[in-house]
């Protein structure tokens, strides 16, 4: 019981710290996504492991609905097409699994949500580079100081970096951030529903 209580205590403390630090970048990221979607662009999301699941979760909240009934919004998780992922990894290298998809599907006016708890995922860093080549803006969702992804960010991009180094705590905050982004998008595009 003590171990479990310690997890809850640490999680709450990380969320308190994140609330103080991340409000402004989350608001900027939500505005960026809302503007892109309103203008006919789409959200593209990528990450590996748990971050792949987060990318899929985020895309599902936009395409289906978040908390209120509303029209579907254009979002694609670049983590879901097994044939595409494995063919790129087999024929080229795993590092290109998201960047090749982005070059095929991304257009100026879209937004890439690039997720990595460490900020050092090579395939996500390559996706950011491809996004910049295409004029796609980037929201980097990281932790641990942002790693290599922080160095790839441009002036028009947004960095949401959880102030912690432990993967599970970063992932817990990432889920909350994704829900905040969805809320900002829905509020900006469709108004308050509660």
């Amino acid at each position: 019981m003590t171990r479990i209580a310690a997890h809850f205590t640490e999680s709450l403390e990380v969320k308190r710290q994140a609330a103080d630090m991340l409000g402004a970048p989350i608001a900027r990221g939500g505005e960026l996504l809302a503007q892109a979607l309103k203008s006919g662009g789409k959200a593209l999301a990528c990450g590996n492991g748990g971050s792949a699941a987060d990318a899929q979760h985020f895309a599902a909240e936009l395409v289906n609905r978040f908390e209120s009934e509303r029209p579907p919004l254009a979002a694609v998780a670049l983590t879901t097409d097994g044939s595409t992922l494995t063919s790129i990894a087999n024929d080229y290298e795993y590092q290109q699994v998201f960047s090749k998809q982005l070059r095929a599907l991304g257009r100026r006016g879209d937004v890439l949500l690039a997720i990595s708890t460490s900020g050092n995922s090579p395939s996500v860093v390559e996706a950011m580079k491809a996004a910049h080549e295409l004029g796609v803006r980037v929201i980097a969702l990281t932790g641990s100081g942002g790693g290599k992804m922080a160095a790839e960010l441009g002036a028009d991009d947004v960095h949401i970096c959880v102030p912690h180094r432990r993967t599970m705590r970063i992932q817990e905050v990432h889920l909350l951030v994704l829900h905040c982004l969805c809320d900002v998008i829905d509020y900006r595009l469709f108004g308050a529903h509660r």
Side-chain angles (χ1 to χ4, degrees), residues 117-177:
T117 56
S118 69
N120 291 319
S121 172
S123 59
V124 179
V125 171
E126 288 302 311
M128 291 174 66
K129 291 176 182 177
H132 289 139
E133 290 169 14
L134 296 167
V136 171
R137 305 237 335 246
V138 175
I139 299 169
L141 182 55
T142 69
S144 300
K148 293 176 182 175
M149 288 170 62
E152 288 296 327
L153 290 165
D156 293 331
D157 295 329
V158 177
H159 191 194
I160 304 170
C161 182
V162 177
H164 209 268
R165 298 208 172 274
R166 199 167 179 192
T167 299
M168 71 170 131
R169 297 288 95 92
I170 296 167
Q171 288 175 328
E172 290 163 4
V173 177
H174 278 187
L175 180 57
L176 179 56
V177 169

Side-chain angles (χ1 to χ4, degrees), residues 58-107:
F58 179 71
E61 300 285 26
L62 294 184
V63 171
N64 186 25
R65 68 181 182 108
F66 180 51
E67 287 197 305
S68 303
E69 293 300 326
R70 51 123 168 99
L73 300 171
V76 178
L78 302 176
T79 57
T80 58
D81 184 341
S83 295
T84 296
L85 291 167
T86 56
S87 69
I88 295 168
N90 185 66
D91 295 349
Y92 297 93
E93 58 186 350
Y94 186 82
Q95 192 169 313
Q96 295 184 44
V97 294
F98 304 132
S99 60
K100 283 188 75 82
Q101 290 185 77
L102 195 64
R103 286 186 178 98
L105 302 172
R107 302 290 177 265

